[in-house]
Amino acid sequence: VRLAAFSLAGVGLAVALAWSRLQTRINRQFALLLLVSTAAMLAHRLVAARFGEDGAAILAADMALLGSLSALAGLYLRTWLMVPALAFLAGAAATTLAPELAPIAMSASVWATGLAGLVAFRARDA
């Protein structure tokens, strides 16, 4: 829960500081997507922790949520977001089958998202 709250604060601060530099509608939509998905994860973790859900189940649900949001963003914003969608949904499936893999699956999904983002933005600048 603390990690999700810290992430929400960090993403919120980054979006607030960069808002004036986000000149296109697509960039602002992407920034808002980051903020909304982080807030949704925080809300989910608070509710799940309150009702005593175990950590692997919380991570599996978070990955399913992020995968779904990334898939929607891939359909409507940028197609490269389908890569993180697939990574997060695969991580959620793996965690459902083998709960002990939850931290590894979440880390791998986050890394896949970061790498896909770097490749997409470098390709755009080229």
Side-chain angles (χ1 to χ4, degrees), residues 30-63:
F30 186 71
L32 290 175
L33 174 68
L34 287 175
L35 192 59
V36 167
S37 61
T38 305
M41 278 192 349
L42 175 60
H44 169 256
R45 286 182 181 194
L46 289 172
V47 170
R50 170 69 177 97
F51 290 105
E53 195 169 343
D54 75 336
I58 291 171
L59 287 177
D62 283 351
M63 284 185 277

Side-chain angles (χ1 to χ4, degrees), residues 24-89:
T24 65
R25 182 178 62 90
I26 200 88
N27 288 342
R28 288 185 176 187
Q29 287 175 335
F30 186 71
L32 290 175
L33 174 68
L34 287 175
L35 192 59
V36 167
S37 61
T38 305
M41 278 192 349
L42 175 60
H44 169 256
R45 286 182 181 194
L46 289 172
V47 170
R50 170 69 177 97
F51 290 105
E53 195 169 343
D54 75 336
I58 291 171
L59 287 177
D62 283 351
M63 284 185 277
L65 171 70
L66 290 170
S68 300
L69 287 171
S70 295
L72 284 173
L75 290 173
Y76 294 106
L77 297 176
R78 299 281 185 209
T79 55
W80 72 266
L81 289 166
M82 295 307 269
V83 172
L86 293 173
F88 280 116
L89 292 173

